[in-house]
Amino acid sequence: MTDIMGSAPVPASRARRSSLMAQDALSKRRNAAEARFKIYGIVAIVIAMLALVWLLISIFSVGLPSFRQTFLTMPIELPADKLDKSGVRDVAVMSKVTTVGYAAVIQAALEKAIKEKGIDVGTMTPKDIAGVISLEAPAQLRNYVLANPELVGTTIDFEVLANGRIDGFFKGRVTMESAQLDSNVKPEQLVLAEKLTEAGIMAKRFNWGFITAPDASDQRPEAAGLGVAIIGSFYMMIVVLVLSLPIGVAASVYLEEFAPKNRWTDLIEVNIANLAAVPSIVFGILGLAVFINFAGLPQSAPIVGGLVLTLMTLPRIIIPARAALKSVPPSIRDAALGVGASKLQSVFHHVLPLAAPGILTGMIIGLAQALGETAPLLLIGMVAFVRDYPGMPLDGFFNPASALPVQVFSWTTRGDPGFVERASGAIIVLLIFLLIMNAVAIILRRRFERRW
């Protein structure tokens, strides 16, 4: 009997096409597209990493030498007949001696040290010999003597900066060939520098002055430091933190938890999002018009820079703070309200603590972005040449100061190669501050993070 319910056998070719164990043409194309996309992603990551490595190598290779400087250490006699003719050791009288008098004292000390070491200077003139010393050295010695007037009449071992071209010679920026074309240094001075190094008078060591000293003139790159810029940036970050944190968190809590949903709140939210994308230089124009021209605050003061950066940072704090509040599950709010808590209590006792990690992270990232801003600070005058340190708070907030990114900009606009090295070194310091701030953000997130 024939089985009428049976079916005709399926061709082998058709069975292979419909098998789950065999890839058809469509599956092969799809798998090939996925493989290509993975390759594209890996290539993009490799290119990004290579670009980052190249950037860091270029910055560190140029900037790391700025943390080491060439110094001359030698006995310096402080003659009373030149530095304190009155003999009463009165600082007010001694301050009348200018750096010219101290330059002669240092030059005499160097010539004496060269003679004692038996160094042959050939046909070099006393002016050429003194040229290996920085123009900042007389001011260094003068400040030291005025701070210690009892040392007049004695001989001290003192350390002074070498000339920037001499320092560049030991760092590879200056060569004998380039010195022949340079009006600021002579090949004979480079030879003398090598002899002074062999005699132990000249040496290269870590330069704390790069961190603590103020800026220097165009003729003294070896003396330029970040002291004023670091203090100015610190003061500005204090202003930004004190103003942006409470204002930003309060605005975020109100908009997310209490504000009614209507056209006005929608308009506010749109404007906050738009302000986060406004170029930073626009905030500089606003600060110049409002805080300086209208309010009469002093130019180049940390208080003005802090106010401008606060306006720029607020949208960047409000947006992540609202996202952190929104990430708290509604069940937390409902449970608090269910046991009798008010709306205010449920927000401040339950929702806000749970959102604290995200809020703190957004705040620190906003501060880090503000720390690296340059354009708005240029418009309010913080690019000015400032030698004096700002005072202690609160007066220091109104004293002239600079900032780290502005100092980088200022040094890159100067012609001496020594300032390019200083600019890269300042970028390294700025990167260190940014890494510290991001590390603090990670620590705070882990410290205050709670599970629900």
Side-chain angles (χ1 to χ4, degrees), residues 36 47 73 140 144 191 205 216 248 260 276 283-284 299 318 403 428 437 441 444:
R36 286 195 302 270
I47 293 175
T73 305
Q140 288 180 300
Y144 184 77
V191 174
R205 64 165 183 81
F283 291 97
Q299 289 187 358
I318 293 174
I428 294 175
M437 296 179 71
L444 289 177

Side-chain angles (χ1 to χ4, degrees), residues 67-230:
F67 292 90
R68 294 180 62 83
Q69 198 70 32
T70 305
F71 293 87
L72 292 94
T73 305
M74 54 191 172
I76 298 180
E77 184 180 353
L78 305 176
D81 58 336
K82 294 183 178 180
L83 305 182
D84 185 18
K85 295 182 179 180
S86 65
V88 297
R89 301 299 185 266
D90 185 2
V91 176
V93 177
M94 294 172 59
S95 61
K96 296 180 180 179
V97 181
T98 64
T99 55
V100 176
Y102 285 89
V105 171
I106 295 176
Q107 180 177 346
L110 178 58
E111 292 176 353
K112 183 178 179 181
I114 290 174
K115 184 177 180 180
E116 290 177 352
K117 295 292 185 178
I119 298 175
D120 182 17
V121 296
T123 59
M124 294 181 64
T125 63
K127 182 179 179 180
D128 293 336
I129 295 175
V132 302
I133 302 174
S134 170
L135 296 175
E136 186 72 14
Q140 288 180 300
L141 181 60
R142 182 176 182 271
N143 294 336
Y144 184 77
V145 171
L146 293 179
N148 304 276
E150 70 279 359
L151 296 177
V152 174
T154 64
T155 300
I156 61 172
D157 287 332
F158 195 72
E159 189 177 69
V160 297
L161 285 165
N163 181 277
R165 292 295 196 274
I166 302 299
D167 179 66
F169 172 67
F170 290 108
K171 293 177 179 178
R173 292 197 314 268
V174 179
T175 62
M176 291 292 181
E177 291 75 15
S178 65
Q180 295 176 354
L181 306 175
D182 193 343
S183 60
N184 294 313
V185 69
K186 297 180 179 180
E188 293 81 5
Q189 292 175 318
L190 302 182
V191 174
L192 176 61
E194 291 180 330
K195 294 179 180 179
L196 292 173
T197 303
E198 294 174 357
I201 299 175
M202 185 177 290
K204 189 167 63 173
R205 64 165 183 81
F206 188 81
N207 181 24
W208 285 107
F210 179 63
I211 307 296
T212 60
D215 195 7
S217 66
D218 292 348
Q219 303 299 321
R220 307 173 187 182
E222 66 278 357
L226 293 170
V228 175
I230 291 175

Side-chain angles (χ1 to χ4, degrees), residues 320-321 323-328 350-360 448 452:
L325 291 170
K326 192 177 296 184
S327 66
V328 177
H350 302 280
V351 177
L352 196 58
L354 292 174
I359 294 175
L360 292 174
F448 292 102
W452 49 75

Side-chain angles (χ1 to χ4, degrees), residues 276-300:
V278 170
S280 59
I281 195 169
V282 176
F283 291 97
I285 297 174
L286 177 65
L288 177 64
V290 176
F291 299 127
I292 295 179
N293 296 337
F294 178 75
L297 293 175
Q299 289 187 358
S300 190

Side-chain angles (χ1 to χ4, degrees), residues 246-275 314-326 333 343-344 347-348 351-352 359:
I247 296 175
V249 173
S252 303
V253 171
Y254 175 75
L255 290 174
E256 193 62 35
E257 302 293 337
F258 296 98
K261 303 302 179 182
N262 52 38
R263 66 178 64 182
W264 297 110
T265 55
D266 291 340
L267 180 63
I268 292 174
E269 292 177 1
V270 170
N271 284 317
I272 290 175
N274 289 335
L275 285 175
L314 273 175
R316 303 175 183 179
I317 292 180
I318 293 174
I319 293 173
R322 292 192 63 189
L325 291 170
K326 192 177 296 184
R333 300 172 177 84
K343 179 69 173 178
L344 189 67
V347 171
F348 283 91
V351 177
L352 196 58
I359 294 175

Side-chain angles (χ1 to χ4, degrees), residues 35-51:
R36 286 195 302 270
F37 183 78
K38 291 180 181 179
I39 294 175
Y40 296 155
I42 294 173
V43 171
I45 293 174
V46 171
I47 293 175
M49 293 300 296
L50 289 177

Side-chain angles (χ1 to χ4, degrees), residues 59 210 226 404 408 412 422-432:
I59 292 175
F210 179 63
L226 293 170
L404 283 172
V408 173
T412 53
R422 285 292 200 271
S424 297
I427 293 174
I428 294 175
V429 174
L430 185 60
L431 289 176
I432 292 174

